[in-house]
Amino acid sequence: MKTIQTIRELQGILAEEQGKIVGLVPTMGYLHQGHISLIERAVQECDRVVVSIFVNPLQFAPNEDLKRYPRDLKRDLRLAKEAGADLVFCPEINEMYPAKPRTTVSVTELTHRLCGASRPGHFDGVATVVSKLFHIVMPNRAYFGLKDAQQVAVIQQMVNDLNFPVEIVPCPIVREEDGLAMSSRNIYLSPEERKKAVILYQTLCEATKQKESGQLIHASQAADFIRKKLEVISGLSVDYVEVLSYPGLAPVQELGQQTSIAAVAVWLGNTRLIDNVIWSSEER
Amino acid sequence: MKTIQTIRELQGILAEEQGKIVGLVPTMGYLHQGHISLIERAVQECDRVVVSIFVNPLQFAPNEDLKRYPRDLKRDLRLAKEAGADLVFCPEINEMYPAKPRTTVSVTELTHRLCGASRPGHFDGVATVVSKLFHIVMPNRAYFGLKDAQQVAVIQQMVNDLNFPVEIVPCPIVREEDGLAMSSRNIYLSPEERKKAVILYQTLCEATKQKESGQLIHASQAADFIRKKLEVISGLSVDYVEVLSYPGLAPVQELGQQTSIAAVAVWLGNTRLIDNVIWSSEER
């Protein structure tokens, strides 16, 4: 496995591999089993797998956790290699942004709700850096985890609208044994917060059961059900609970008529956690 | 020469030509000698030349001339073939925008002045459709005329910021015998307006002489000189006259210290005409 820091070197290597199927796994590093599952899937489906590790300042607001975002490149490289990656692209900030960027890729409508409402500008930063990575690597396939389901929807929309020649591969959420969705930010949690964090997935599972047994019929009922379960937890503050169509992220009335997502974001102390479950229209 | 209307067919043909140098000449059709010069240059420098003909609604404001923009596909195809194009891509609007696009590519700073000030949203429309065309064709080189000098600056900025794997080739303005810059919109001019239109280039040439002889020293002097020459023409209304750095389009003080552009836009009756001259810093 090669570790590469410059765009020029990466493109030089990739230029010699024309005709091969290239897979890209874009990450912000501090890899966990969720990232590993993306890399392993890419290894199965592609001839060459590029993992990018870049904590993208554009997608953090000034008040967010850019500075304290966890980093451990040495460990990341070991994990990426074990998972079968061929190339790890880990540029410095100056390599990705040699001057103040003046170009922004923006996706509307899909970004007004959920994390887009709580984190203004976040998805512009994501769409812009993913555009850059797509142009640098020119992958045939790019792998994204569905924990960030809104991100997947935004990127698929961008790819469709701008005719990017890449296939987006959404991959299932990977969870800890107790159900907590894997996230680099889980390391922020105190032991007590870590125990409480399991309530997100527990509540989403309960809502799924209630929906399947016909006790939750409307999207608003489901959102209320989830919100009430979360609000009673001490030290937890709800950022949002929404049940929307997926991937369109539009309001829905009755559940089951279209694929929808129940998405939650909460603060546990100073840590923001998100989770979701997608209910396909066929399941009902 | 093949004429192609669908993205799928175009990509199918281009996929079989991997390894060849592909040149793209994006146009809105109604080809004139300026476009032809771009195609001929591309033919010299590339193995395969794609000319796109698409009147892009995104770059027209509701009050602009989208509906009456001149079109003559049959003539365009003949001219493109004579110039040596291999493929003409002339999609319908529904092919380029099968649904309402939610994704916009925006370039800031460069777009606040000149045509960007007079035509809000215009350069977002340009950057977005050019992104689409670049992704559809994946050219090695793309050819743009310097009559739209701000467009060239915006697209080069976008390519740099987003790492598009394409070389932008700016090409000189092609003029009528009397100096009027070639433009599809010249056909709107009445015979009387057509005669008056020569004042744009005449004035830019006079300003260049005055600058070279040391009589125009500051950018503001040069802009005033040009403006006064234009304002006295009956039936002509000045939209803007600006002398700025190029391609940065920032204010400049003394001329000759950096490459700059003297750019004008005027209305002659209902027709908006633009022209410019670029003064390189070495020329002084």
Side-chain angles (χ1 to χ4, degrees), chain B residues 8 14 39 66 73-74 85 90 98 102 113 126 151-152 168 174 177 186 191 193 219 226 243 264:
Chain B
R8 182 181 294 264
L14 291 170
I39 300 171
L66 172 60
L73 184 60
K74 202 170 155 188
C90 46
R102 292 171 169 178
R113 295 168 180 276
V126 170
Q151 174 173 278
V152 172
I168 301 303
V174 176
E177 274 193 24
N186 290 349
E193 289 164 346
I226 296 165
V243 178
V264 303

Side-chain angles (χ1 to χ4, degrees), chain A residues 60-130:
Chain A
F60 288 80
N63 63 332
E64 291 184 344
D65 59 343
L66 173 61
K67 279 193 181 161
R68 68 171 187 139
Y69 196 87
R71 290 162 169 89
D72 188 343
L73 184 59
K74 203 171 153 186
R75 181 171 157 277
D76 287 346
L77 294 177
R78 178 172 56 74
L79 292 173
K81 187 175 179 180
E82 286 172 10
D86 299 290
L87 301 166
V88 171
F89 177 53
C90 45
E92 298 287 333
I93 287 180
N94 284 345
E95 179 70 7
M96 289 293 277
Y97 302 112
K100 186 168 164 277
R102 292 170 169 179
T103 307
T104 303
V105 182
S106 302
V107 178
T108 55
E109 298 186 40
L110 297 181
T111 55
H112 294 158
R113 295 166 179 276
L114 306 176
C115 290
S118 309
R119 306 184 67 189
H122 169 68
F123 285 113
D124 285 2
V126 169
T128 303
V129 80
V130 170

Side-chain angles (χ1 to χ4, degrees), chain A residues 125-166:
Chain A
V126 169
T128 303
V129 80
V130 170
S131 292
K132 287 170 70 71
L133 291 168
F134 283 176
H135 291 151
I136 291 166
V137 177
M138 290 305 297
N140 302 84
R141 300 198 180 108
Y143 296 79
F144 293 88
L146 277 166
K147 183 173 77 69
D148 301 306
Q150 187 175 17
Q151 173 173 278
V152 171
V154 167
I155 289 171
Q156 184 65 66
Q157 180 80 40
M158 175 187 88
V159 164
N160 294 352
D161 281 346
L162 297 184
N163 307 94
F164 273 96
V166 62

Side-chain angles (χ1 to χ4, degrees), chain A residues 140-194:
Chain A
N140 302 84
R141 300 198 180 108
Y143 296 79
F144 293 88
L146 277 166
K147 183 173 77 69
D148 301 306
Q150 187 175 17
Q151 173 173 278
V152 171
V154 167
I155 289 171
Q156 184 65 66
Q157 180 80 40
M158 175 187 88
V159 164
N160 294 352
D161 281 346
L162 297 184
N163 307 94
F164 273 96
V166 62
E167 181 192 344
I168 301 303
V169 185
C171 299
I173 298 175
V174 176
R175 298 179 179 281
E176 304 283 356
E177 273 195 23
D178 66 358
L180 177 64
M182 297 262 183
S183 166
S184 303
R185 288 185 169 102
N186 290 348
I187 197 173
Y188 296 155
L189 298 168
S190 70
E192 199 189 345
E193 289 165 347
R194 174 64 188 81

Side-chain angles (χ1 to χ4, degrees), chain B:
Chain B
M1 189 186 78
K2 276 190 188 164
T3 306
I4 297 159
Q5 292 199 293
T6 69
I7 295 167
R8 182 181 294 264
E9 190 188 355
L10 179 60
Q11 291 184 323
I13 292 170
L14 291 170
E16 285 171 17
E17 313 217 339
Q18 284 194 353
K20 293 198 173 150
I21 305 292
V22 174
L24 172 65
V25 182
T27 82
M28 298 211 300
Y30 212 72
L31 303 184
H32 52 64
Q33 201 53 42
H35 299 112
I36 303 304
S37 74
L38 304 179
I39 300 171
E40 288 175 346
R41 170 119 178 231
V43 168
Q44 281 176 14
E45 299 180 354
C46 306
D47 302 321
R48 284 290 173 274
V49 172
V50 181
V51 176
S52 65
I53 296 178
F54 181 63
V55 182
N56 173 35
L58 283 195
Q59 69 194 69
F60 289 79
N63 61 332
E64 290 184 344
D65 58 344
L66 172 60
K67 278 195 183 161
R68 68 172 188 139
Y69 196 85
R71 293 163 167 88
D72 188 344
L73 184 60
K74 202 170 155 188
R75 181 171 158 277
D76 287 345
L77 294 177
R78 179 172 56 76
L79 292 171
K81 187 176 179 181
E82 285 171 11
D86 299 291
L87 301 166
V88 171
F89 177 53
C90 46
E92 298 286 334
I93 287 180
N94 283 345
E95 180 70 8
M96 289 295 276
Y97 303 112
K100 186 167 164 276
R102 292 171 169 178
T103 306
T104 304
V105 183
S106 302
V107 178
T108 55
E109 298 185 40
L110 297 180
T111 54
H112 294 158
R113 295 168 180 276
L114 305 177
C115 290
S118 308
R119 306 182 66 187
H122 169 69
F123 286 113
D124 284 3
V126 170
T128 302
V129 79
V130 170
S131 293
K132 288 170 68 74
L133 290 168
F134 283 176
H135 291 150
I136 291 167
V137 177
M138 289 307 296
N140 301 84
R141 299 197 182 107
Y143 297 79
F144 293 88
L146 277 166
K147 183 172 76 70
D148 301 305
Q150 185 174 19
Q151 174 173 278
V152 172
V154 167
I155 288 171
Q156 184 65 67
Q157 180 79 40
M158 175 188 89
V159 163
N160 294 351
D161 281 346
L162 297 183
N163 307 93
F164 272 96
V166 63
E167 181 192 343
I168 301 303
V169 184
C171 300
I173 298 176
V174 176
R175 298 181 179 281
E176 303 285 355
E177 274 193 24
D178 66 358
L180 177 65
M182 298 261 185
S183 167
S184 305
R185 288 185 170 102
N186 290 349
I187 197 171
Y188 296 154
L189 298 168
S190 71
E192 200 189 344
E193 289 164 346
R194 173 64 190 81
K195 280 181 207 157
K196 285 182 186 169
V198 72
I199 189 71
L200 270 70
Y201 185 56
Q202 276 178 1
T203 305
L204 291 172
C205 289
E206 280 183 54
T208 303
K209 275 186 204 158
Q210 296 270 317
K211 181 190 79 80
E212 283 170 1
S213 68
Q215 289 176 278
L216 292 174
I217 292 171
H218 289 94
S220 61
Q221 281 181 307
D224 288 346
F225 175 89
I226 296 165
R227 177 180 294 274
K228 280 177 189 156
K229 293 270 177 185
L230 296 176
E231 277 176 348
V232 297
I233 307 297
S234 72
L236 181 153
S237 122
V238 172
D239 180 1
Y240 63 72
V241 175
E242 290 204 69
V243 178
L244 300 168
S245 68
Y246 193 81
L249 303 182
V252 286
Q253 306 295 325
E254 206 171 325
L255 294 170
Q257 300 193 331
Q258 56 190 310
T259 296
S260 46
I261 185 169
V264 303
V266 306
W267 287 92
L268 265 173
N270 292 320
T271 306
R272 189 170 173 278
L273 298 178
I274 62 174
D275 202 348
N276 70 78
V277 60
I278 290 175
W279 293 327
S280 72
S281 54
E282 297 80 21
E283 270 177 28
R284 206 181 165 207

Side-chain angles (χ1 to χ4, degrees), chain A residues 38-84:
Chain A
L38 303 179
I39 301 172
E40 288 175 345
R41 169 118 178 233
V43 168
Q44 282 177 13
E45 299 180 352
C46 306
D47 302 321
R48 285 290 172 272
V49 173
V50 180
V51 176
S52 65
I53 296 178
F54 181 63
V55 182
N56 173 36
L58 283 195
Q59 70 194 67
F60 288 80
N63 63 332
E64 291 184 344
D65 59 343
L66 173 61
K67 279 193 181 161
R68 68 171 187 139
Y69 196 87
R71 290 162 169 89
D72 188 343
L73 184 59
K74 203 171 153 186
R75 181 171 157 277
D76 287 346
L77 294 177
R78 178 172 56 74
L79 292 173
K81 187 175 179 180
E82 286 172 10

